């Protein structure tokens, strides 16, 4: 059962609303000090900030976006905060676990207020990114991905601040709850990964069966373009493609006049779509019924299969195993970090194993079930991730009192039903969990 505090007062912070009566509000300049220390030399770990936190960057393999001169990067020490304040749409913030250097475009800051718990503050900062609260403090060109938070806006940003011991209790509660949710998500993804491996194993068995012919790809599938008649006020749904054969995703619906300078083409169910830039990372997908009518830019080559000779499900699956991936990698040339564009005109001249169509049909039902499982699991994951984000927001802003919550000793074996029960209890208490921006 959710427990609220006994007494509340107005916080004077629009995105927080009411806070417990004994909580304070503080500007960030009284909690943190911005640091600016230029490295001036090489020899340090190079760090980057992603939605997964601060990580050590690989600058020796040539993968990823690389800088010309790391001596101009700034120092960051273990325990300090790093923040991508230049991109308030997709940026993030984290506490560094490493000594190293980080982009001069990022913000490094350290805690100066000994009355604040570092982990509680991190939860608040990360929530302000995920809920787009920092976005209102930005300046720049958001449509170009440049929406930065000026230093003065950061320094004067108001935070709700409970007593330190209460901050620690909140951090411990959220650590337990978030770990529980993350284990559930990991288990669900493992189930899907096992099913995907079964599909890949079936594909390998099929290509090693008798009667397999090696035919040029362009004899069983063709590159196809279905240009859209772009109308300024019509709405189109562009797609993107995940790597490692994880399928495609829908970008936000966009007016024709805002699609940009790229040429766009319609997709149809059964198309096999490749990423022109990241095919070598396994960015290939099968267009499903829910993707029919979406649009792809010219950066995504599309293959239309001759159904009498090759099933789209088979061709897609072939590209996700080593035999097909080798072709995608071979025809993706380049040396500038991850910029290795695919040459589809050369790819379609390659010979591929083409089993009897009757054998390929075994994959059709398998892929259908895999897609159903993926839809179900993704829906479950989305639900608990929404719950996690809302739970964090409500706890760190004082809508729920967790001071007396007893964290169980045993944390293994949680089920989805337990999480579902928590969601039901939240709804019965009269306040459904919603994001603050809603």
């Amino acid at each position: 059962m959710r427990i609220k505090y006994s007494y509340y007062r107005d916080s004077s912070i629009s995105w927080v609303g009411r806070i417990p009566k004994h909580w304070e509000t503080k500007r960030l300049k009284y909690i943190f000090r911005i640091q600016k220390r230029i490295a001036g030399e090489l020899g340090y770990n190079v760090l980057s900030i992603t939605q997964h936190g601060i990580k050590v960057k690989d600058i020796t393999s040539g993968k990823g976006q690389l800088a010309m001169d790391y001596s101009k990067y700034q120092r960051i020490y273990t325990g300090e905060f790093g923040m991508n304040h230049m991109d308030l749409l997709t940026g993030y913030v984290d506490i560094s676990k490493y000594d190293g250097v980080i982009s001069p475009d990022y913000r490094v800051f350290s805690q100066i207020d000994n009355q604040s718990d570092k982990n509680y503050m991190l939860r608040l900062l990360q929530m302000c990114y995920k809920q787009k609260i920092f976005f209102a403090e930005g300046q720049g060109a958001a449509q170009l991905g440049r929406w930065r938070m000026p230093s003065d806006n950061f320094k004067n940003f108001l935070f709700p601040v409970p007593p330190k011991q209460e901050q620690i209790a909140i951090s411990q509660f959220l650590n337990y709850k978030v770990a529980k949710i993350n284990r559930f998500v990991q288990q669900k993804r493992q189930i899907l990964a096992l099913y995907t491996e079964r599909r890949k194993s079936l594909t390998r068995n099929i290509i090693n069966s008798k009667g397999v012919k090696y035919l040029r790809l362009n004899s069983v599938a063709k590159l196809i373009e279905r240009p859209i008649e772009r109308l300024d006020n019509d709405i189109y749904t562009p797609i993107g493609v995940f790597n490692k054969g994880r399928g495609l995703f829908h970008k936000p619906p966009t007016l024709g006049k805002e699609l940009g300078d790229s040429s766009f083409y319609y997709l149809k169910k059964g198309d096999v779509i490749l990423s022109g830039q990241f095919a070598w990372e396994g960015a290939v997908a099968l267009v499903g019924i829910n993707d029919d009518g979406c649009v792809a830019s010219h950066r995504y080559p599309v293959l239309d299969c001759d159904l009498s000779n090759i099933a789209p499900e088979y061709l897609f699956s072939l590209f996700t195993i080593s035999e097909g991936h080798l072709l995608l990698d071979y025809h993706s040339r380049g040396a500038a970090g991850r910029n290795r564009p695919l040459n589809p005109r050369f790819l379609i001249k390659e010979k591929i194993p083409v089993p009897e169509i009757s054998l390929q049909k075994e994959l059709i039902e398998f892929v259908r079930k895999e897609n159903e499982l993926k839809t179900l699991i993704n829906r479950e994951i989305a639900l608990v991730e929404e719950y996690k984000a809302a739970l964090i927001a409500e706890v760190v802003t004082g809508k729920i009192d967790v001071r007396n919550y007893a964290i169980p000793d045993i944390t293994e074996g949680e089920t989805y039903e337990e999480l579902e029960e928590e969601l039901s209890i939240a709804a019965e208490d009269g306040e459904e969990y919603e994001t603050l921006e809603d």
Side-chain angles (χ1 to χ4, degrees):
M1 181 175 179
R2 298 171 61 196
I3 300 175
K4 297 183 178 182
Y5 289 86
S6 299
Y7 300 101
Y8 285 84
R9 66 178 179 85
D10 182 34
S11 69
S12 299
I13 306 174
S14 60
W15 57 272
V16 174
R18 285 156 37 95
I19 58 174
K21 188 175 180 180
H22 63 285
W23 284 29
E24 297 180 284
T25 60
K26 283 187 179 180
R27 298 193 185 278
L28 293 189
K29 63 183 177 183
Y30 299 119
I31 303 173
F32 301 111
R33 177 183 293 114
I34 296 175
Q35 307 287 355
K36 194 70 175 178
R37 302 175 293 248
I38 303 302
E41 57 181 300
L42 301 178
Y44 303 107
N45 282 326
V46 177
L47 310 179
S48 63
I49 305 176
T50 71
Q51 288 289 323
H52 301 290
I54 294 179
K55 305 292 183 184
V56 177
K57 196 170 187 176
D58 179 3
I59 64 171
T60 58
S61 68
K63 295 182 179 179
Q65 190 173 2
L66 306 179
M68 296 294 293
D69 185 1
Y70 288 103
S71 68
K72 296 180 180 179
Y73 270 41
Q74 56 181 322
R75 289 302 310 272
I76 183 170
Y77 296 101
T78 302
E80 291 187 324
F81 291 75
M83 172 182 180
N84 182 358
H85 70 103
M86 301 297 291
D87 183 359
L88 298 180
L89 282 171
T90 61
Y92 208 44
V93 59
D94 193 20
I95 297 173
S96 181
K97 299 180 180 65
Y98 318 94
D99 290 349
V101 294
I102 205 160
S103 169
D105 292 330
Y106 291 166
R107 177 169 291 143
V108 176
F109 50 98
S110 55
Q111 193 169 315
I112 57 175
D113 178 11
N114 61 11
Q115 295 303 308
S116 297
D117 176 65
K118 186 177 292 187
N119 294 316
Y120 170 80
M121 288 298 161
L122 180 63
R123 291 287 186 192
L124 267 172
L125 289 162
Q126 290 180 340
M127 186 204 71
C128 287
Y129 261 110
K130 288 184 176 296
Q131 304 283 6
K132 302 294 186 292
I133 295 166
F134 280 148
F135 187 81
E137 302 294 321
Q139 298 176 0
Q143 68 273 20
L144 300 178
R146 304 189 192 100
W147 195 248
R148 57 183 292 275
M149 187 178 191
S151 295
D152 286 344
N153 292 25
F154 175 80
K155 291 176 182 178
N156 290 303
F157 196 84
L158 276 169
F159 259 10
V161 182
K164 187 172 183 178
Q165 284 304 117
E166 196 167 335
Q167 294 178 39
I168 293 172
I170 288 171
S171 295
Q172 291 173 342
F173 169 84
L174 288 176
N175 287 344
Y176 164 70
K177 288 290 187 178
V178 169
K180 177 179 178 179
I181 291 170
N182 289 347
R183 279 193 295 274
F184 164 80
V185 171
Q186 183 181 22
Q187 290 166 2
K188 289 294 182 177
R189 287 178 174 157
Q190 286 174 345
I191 291 171
L192 183 57
L194 289 172
Y195 204 91
T196 298
E197 281 305 312
R198 288 178 59 194
R199 187 253 302 157
K200 290 181 179 180
S201 177
L202 175 59
T203 306
R204 293 187 185 97
N205 290 338
I206 289 174
I207 67 174
N208 289 321
S209 59
K210 292 182 179 180
V212 172
K213 300 176 182 178
Y214 278 80
L215 305 174
R216 293 195 186 278
L217 179 56
N218 60 8
S219 69
V220 293
K222 61 181 179 179
L223 289 168
I224 192 167
E225 297 177 350
R226 306 182 191 96
I228 69 172
E229 182 184 354
R230 190 187 308 200
L231 300 176
D232 286 351
N233 295 315
D234 277 10
I235 295 177
Y236 302 88
T237 302
I239 59 87
V241 179
F242 290 116
N243 64 359
K244 299 181 180 178
R246 292 178 296 143
L248 56 80
F249 60 92
H250 293 188
K251 298 178 182 179
T254 306
L255 290 172
K257 61 185 177 184
E258 297 175 355
L259 278 175
D261 296 331
S262 298
S263 299
F264 282 85
Y265 306 97
Y266 282 114
L267 298 176
K268 286 187 177 181
K269 180 181 180 298
D271 288 341
V272 176
I273 183 170
L274 306 167
S275 168
Q277 294 297 117
F278 302 109
W280 61 278
E281 288 189 328
V284 56
L286 181 65
V287 176
I289 186 65
N290 294 326
D291 314 310
D292 194 282
C294 291
V295 299
S297 81
H298 66 275
R299 295 183 179 87
Y300 294 92
V302 177
L303 290 166
D304 182 36
C305 294
D306 174 2
L307 299 182
S308 63
N309 287 297
I310 192 165
E313 292 81 0
Y314 168 74
L315 183 58
F316 157 73
S317 196
L318 175 65
F319 280 136
T320 65
I321 64 174
S322 56
E323 290 82 350
H325 182 264
L326 180 64
L327 296 178
L328 297 178
D329 186 70
Y330 180 75
H331 290 291
S332 299
R333 303 297 178 89
R338 297 177 70 199
N339 186 20
R340 294 180 55 196
L342 174 71
N343 189 325
R345 304 293 174 183
F346 286 175
L347 174 68
I348 62 172
K349 295 178 182 178
E350 288 283 357
K351 288 186 176 181
I352 63 168
V354 181
E356 293 291 335
I357 195 68
S358 58
L359 292 177
Q360 296 179 43
K361 287 181 178 177
E362 293 183 45
L363 273 170
I364 296 176
E365 183 64 13
F366 208 99
V367 170
R368 185 187 66 80
K369 290 181 178 178
E370 181 183 2
N371 288 336
E372 287 180 354
L373 180 63
K374 183 185 298 183
T375 298
L376 175 63
I377 286 177
N378 286 342
R379 187 183 301 126
E380 290 179 339
I381 290 175
L383 179 62
V384 296
E385 289 288 359
E386 181 182 353
Y387 167 69
K388 178 174 74 173
L391 179 66
I392 292 171
E394 298 236 310
V395 173
V396 298
T397 59
K399 305 304 183 291
I400 306 172
D401 185 354
V402 300
R403 289 174 294 181
N404 297 318
Y405 184 85
I407 297 176
D409 293 330
I410 300 175
T411 59
E412 297 297 331
E414 299 92 346
T415 65
Y416 178 67
E417 286 72 22
E418 292 176 18
L419 292 174
E420 193 173 43
E421 183 180 357
E422 291 185 29
L423 287 167
S424 298
I425 291 172
E428 288 171 4
D429 281 349
E431 290 185 31
E432 292 187 3
Y433 284 110
E434 297 177 349
T435 59
L436 293 183
E437 66 177 345
D438 289 335

